[in-house]
Amino acid sequence: MLKDDEIKSKFENAKPGDEIDFDLKKAYPNDAELSSMLNVNKEDLENINSQFRLKIDTIKKFEKAEINQEFYDKLYGEGEVTSDEEFRQKIAEELKEQLKPEGDRKFAIDAKNHFVRKVNPQIPADFLKRWLKESQSQKEENQLTEEQIEEEFPRFKEDVKWDLIKNKIIKDHEIKVEEEEVLELAKQLTLQQFQQYGMMNLPDEQLEQYAKQVLQQEEQKRKMYEHKYEDKVTELIKEKVKLEEKEVTMDEFKELVEEDQNKQSK
């Protein structure tokens, strides 16, 4: 999980009882990850001394398990899986669940592009450019230059068109997002982040604690609400349109996603 090779080398051949001094912010440059680890808000990270001393109490090593009933019971609970066939089926179900968000994201991109192209609401481009430049001038950091604004404007204009369409759908269908739904979304996204580092089964109370910390940050909370509204609009569209399902390999799916990313970057 350590991101810095020099710091990582300090832990090689370490043993219980050793103490290691290192720069935590350099080892974990991702603010979201670091704030969760230290149990603080992102805004407070700059006030924290990043020099830490870590004492090693125990060292655990992972070895390949023998595929047998004992392994099935440890993984899924006693008696839940009793054969190789059931084990493979369980893995297939888990992979399907893990890949579902990617499929939904691809559908959301396709739906957005379709409706923007079909409805094509007219927007005052000159006014939007002036507004964008003015809002950038009021920022204290991460300002875009005029050249960057001109370069980014076509994509920004498409996003504004989609916002107009999306908000009309939300209004016409009286779509609401409750606080409990946003908390559940925050928990799901937090769990996905931990799963990237092999931490698959975080206790629900701990997961909820991390999620609530994220939602204490106003910007993150706003993004979560927007995310949930987007999800509900996408689900509504999926219910209303006729879907043609096509089975593709993982590599073919990755190519489709890369095509979308390349179009968005242009």
Side-chain angles (χ1 to χ4, degrees), residues 171-264:
K171 182 180 178 182
D172 288 353
H173 294 270
E174 299 182 344
I175 296 174
K176 305 289 184 185
V177 171
E178 303 297 336
E179 191 171 342
E180 293 80 6
E181 294 175 306
V182 175
L183 176 59
E184 193 59 35
L185 173 63
K187 287 168 65 177
Q188 291 173 9
L189 297 178
T190 302
L191 179 60
Q192 288 173 16
Q193 189 175 27
F194 279 106
Q195 286 176 340
Q196 291 176 2
Y197 302 104
M199 302 164 70
M200 307 302 291
N201 297 307
L202 220 62
D204 191 69
E205 59 272 13
Q206 191 174 355
L207 198 58
E208 185 163 327
Q209 179 186 354
Y210 284 129
K212 286 181 177 178
Q213 287 174 14
V214 171
L215 293 176
Q216 285 175 1
Q217 304 166 45
E218 287 301 319
E219 181 65 15
Q220 290 297 321
K221 187 175 182 178
R222 181 185 64 78
K223 288 181 179 179
M224 291 288 179
Y225 268 93
E226 289 179 357
H227 192 313
K228 195 62 188 176
Y229 272 113
E230 187 97 17
D231 286 349
K232 288 197 171 189
V233 168
T234 300
E235 285 302 315
L236 178 70
I237 293 172
K238 197 180 291 186
E239 292 172 7
K240 300 291 184 182
V241 301
K242 181 180 178 181
L243 294 178
E244 294 181 8
E245 295 190 0
K246 179 182 178 183
E247 190 171 309
V248 296
T249 66
M250 177 62 78
D251 288 339
E252 289 170 337
F253 181 75
K254 286 180 179 177
E255 287 180 10
L256 291 172
V257 173
E258 286 174 2
E259 284 178 13
D260 289 334
Q261 292 173 341
N262 291 334
K263 288 177 183 177
Q264 288 180 335

Side-chain angles (χ1 to χ4, degrees), residues 129-178:
K129 280 186 182 180
R130 291 200 305 273
W131 176 84
L132 190 56
K133 290 176 182 178
E134 180 64 26
S135 63
Q136 284 295 312
S137 67
Q138 295 176 7
K139 283 187 176 181
E140 295 182 1
E141 55 185 24
N142 298 327
Q143 290 188 19
L144 295 175
T145 64
E146 287 207 20
E147 291 77 13
Q148 288 173 320
I149 290 175
E150 289 295 332
E151 184 179 340
E152 296 285 333
F153 186 73
R155 186 160 63 245
F156 173 73
K157 184 171 67 173
E158 296 301 292
D159 287 342
V160 171
K161 288 182 178 181
W162 171 238
D163 282 340
L164 290 171
I165 297 167
K166 181 175 63 179
N167 290 335
K168 185 71 165 60
I169 293 173
I170 290 170
K171 182 180 178 182
D172 288 353
H173 294 270
E174 299 182 344
I175 296 174
K176 305 289 184 185
V177 171
E178 303 297 336

